Amino acid sequence: MPSAPAVELAEIVARRSYGRLVALLAARSGDIAGAEDALADAFAAALEHWPAGGVPANPEAWLLTAARRRQIDAARRAKLRGEKADEVIRHVEALASEQAEQPVIPDERLRLMFACAHPSLDAAVRAPLILQTILGFDAGAIASAFLVSPAAMSQRLVRAKLKIKQAAIPFRIPEPDELPGRLEAVLEAVYAVYAEGWADPEGAQARERNLSVEGIWLGRLLVSLLPGEPEVLGLLALMLHAEARRAARRSPVGDYIPLEQQDTTLWDAALIEEAEALLARAGQARQIGRYQLEAALQSAHANRRICATTDWAAIVTLYEALVLLTASPVAAINRAVALARLAGPQAGLAGLDEVASDRRIADYQPYWAARADLLARAARQEEARNAYSRAIGLESDPVIRRYLQGRLAALG
């Protein structure tokens, strides 16, 4: 039975290093699924050996070496079965010799992300595939984020990994003329990484811990590689605007505080200024995109720290542009909420009714929370109670659930 410290250390290394190790293991072989299997075996071996032999000085290097050995063993078994495994063995052994010469483990995550965003893969699976390979999320968690069933998502991911292997899709940063077809999925995945960390503001959940930091790091890396891409600049600006408000999202006792009620003096002015500069740079290209619009929305909210009011008309206009650009039901829900601030709850409810038939939002908690709030403001108490009950049942964060329960209780 592994000791608690060994298990905890293995989990920490898994959280911090999973994507880096999978990327490095798959970069030579081109086999993502095989790299994941080898790494899973290495983690199991760590739990078995570390308690007895002591935790190694460099646990990440230990795991990488163990996983490489398993890759080589798997390739040799495949060779005995008549499969073409010689090249895989050569690649992995070459990588092992490189590690002996270079103790620093290179970060190949961005190359892996662009391989997962290759245009020969189904567009709907590119961002989910990046999330699984970089973060190790299971199909169920990814399916929830992309509003599809876990079974369907699992099948898509398996097929995509097999296609990368069979088609020998290269692990490299694409040339400038190749970017348009691949950058969108990478940006979507980076933002999803950040959003997972954003959903856990106090860093209390093991899986989400440090993911917001990782998302911003990946965003900065993209900016350094593609300094003239407006959507790359817009994404980093969006994440920095959101991160600037982290300290204001919970009260001293841990209660949830909605954006409009947050103390703006707690917002990080340096991050906001950096985000504004990035957004201004992006605007110079005059190529509007999703992330620039979303960053502009955050900028409009951030302006409250200067003028003490929120320009809801500007926010409605920006959401309308976002809906036209993306056809996203989430953007439509947020537009309806903003419209209610500008023109009253009935206008907001009419906006929500426009997306009510979209099956993707049937179990989407923010839709029901928004609907409950607007129904309560429209004095439709019974309907508001039902909507709050639905939102509470769908919410997994106990802090937000407690907030919604308080709103429901306040209806009397």
Side-chain angles (χ1 to χ4, degrees):
M1 184 78 176
S3 68
V7 172
E8 183 178 1
L9 180 58
E11 290 176 348
I12 291 172
V13 175
R15 285 196 302 271
R16 292 179 178 172
S17 307
Y18 182 88
R20 293 181 65 205
L21 294 176
V22 167
L24 194 56
L25 291 164
R28 291 277 189 166
S29 67
D31 184 359
I32 294 174
E36 291 172 329
D37 290 343
L39 188 57
D41 288 344
F43 278 123
L47 292 178
E48 180 180 350
H49 294 294
W50 288 0
V55 176
N58 189 336
E60 191 177 62
W62 190 99
L63 288 166
L64 183 59
T65 300
R68 281 183 179 137
R69 289 172 182 157
R70 282 155 179 78
Q71 277 186 304
I72 293 171
D73 290 343
R76 285 173 175 156
R77 288 194 297 271
K79 184 180 178 182
L80 289 174
R81 294 194 299 268
E83 300 175 22
K84 296 179 180 179
D86 288 350
E87 189 174 354
V88 173
I89 294 173
R90 285 197 301 272
H91 284 332
V92 176
E93 288 179 338
L95 202 57
S97 65
E98 288 175 13
Q99 185 194 8
E101 300 169 2
Q102 174 56 272
V104 177
I105 297 174
D107 197 328
E108 301 284 356
R109 283 179 294 181
L110 211 54
R111 299 181 195 281
L112 173 59
M113 292 170 78
F114 275 109
C116 293
H118 197 275
S120 67
L121 300 175
D122 181 359
V125 79
R126 294 173 197 168
L129 182 60
I130 292 169
L131 284 178
Q132 186 172 74
T133 57
I134 295 296
L135 300 177
F137 286 0
D138 60 43
I142 299 170
S144 175
F146 288 88
L147 306 179
V148 299
S149 73
M153 181 58 72
S154 180
Q155 291 173 359
R156 292 178 190 177
L157 292 168
V158 169
R159 287 196 296 266
K161 292 174 190 175
L162 184 60
K163 185 163 189 176
I164 288 174
K165 180 182 178 181
Q166 292 176 337
I169 290 173
F171 287 61
R172 62 176 176 83
I173 306 297
E175 298 299 324
D177 61 338
E178 299 174 307
L179 277 175
R182 299 169 74 172
L183 185 57
E184 182 179 350
V186 172
L187 295 177
E188 185 177 3
V190 170
Y191 187 42
V193 170
Y194 177 80
E196 283 292 327
W198 173 253
D200 180 36
E202 297 173 353
Q205 300 179 44
R207 191 186 72 176
E208 284 79 4
R209 196 174 303 158
N210 295 324
L211 288 184
S212 58
V213 175
E214 285 287 298
I216 290 174
W217 183 89
L218 288 168
R220 292 191 188 281
L221 181 58
L222 280 170
V223 167
S224 71
L225 291 168
L226 306 166
E229 283 291 326
E231 279 293 83
V232 172
L233 296 167
L235 173 60
L236 182 55
L238 169 60
M239 293 189 292
L240 292 177
H241 264 305
E243 191 65 21
R245 300 197 302 268
R246 182 174 291 275
R249 295 176 62 206
R250 296 288 189 265
S251 73
V253 295
D255 291 332
Y256 169 71
I257 303 177
L259 174 58
E260 308 92 85
Q261 299 173 21
Q262 289 175 10
D263 180 355
T264 60
T265 64
L266 297 177
W267 292 354
D268 189 318
L271 288 181
I272 292 173
E273 289 170 8
E274 183 182 359
E276 291 292 298
L278 288 163
L279 191 54
R281 279 174 57 193
Q284 293 172 4
R286 299 188 179 278
Q287 297 174 12
I288 198 65
R290 167 194 169 185
Y291 295 105
Q292 293 170 77
L293 284 173
E294 293 201 30
L297 282 159
Q298 299 305 318
S299 176
H301 282 293
N303 199 46
R304 182 163 66 86
R305 72 190 180 103
I306 299 172
C307 61
T309 59
T310 300
D311 188 347
W312 289 110
I315 289 174
V316 168
T317 300
L318 288 167
Y319 271 125
E320 286 174 348
L322 192 59
V323 170
L324 288 172
L325 184 67
T326 66
S328 164
V330 175
I333 292 167
N334 288 328
R335 173 192 171 276
V337 171
L339 187 60
R341 299 291 182 183
L342 186 66
Q346 294 295 355
L349 287 167
L352 290 180
D353 289 340
E354 293 176 8
V355 295
S357 61
D358 191 322
R359 280 194 264 179
R360 291 175 295 175
I361 57 96
D363 294 323
Y364 185 57
Q365 184 272 350
Y367 168 81
W368 292 102
R371 189 168 191 86
D373 176 63
L374 297 185
L375 287 167
R377 289 169 55 194
R380 293 161 61 175
Q381 310 299 79
E382 190 58 34
E383 292 174 88
R385 289 190 189 93
N386 292 335
Y388 269 127
S389 295
R390 184 70 180 272
I392 291 166
L394 293 169
E395 181 53 61
S396 59
D397 185 332
V399 175
I400 297 179
R401 192 186 307 121
R402 187 167 66 244
Y403 170 80
L404 293 171
Q405 289 168 337
R407 298 298 299 271
L408 174 59
L411 290 175

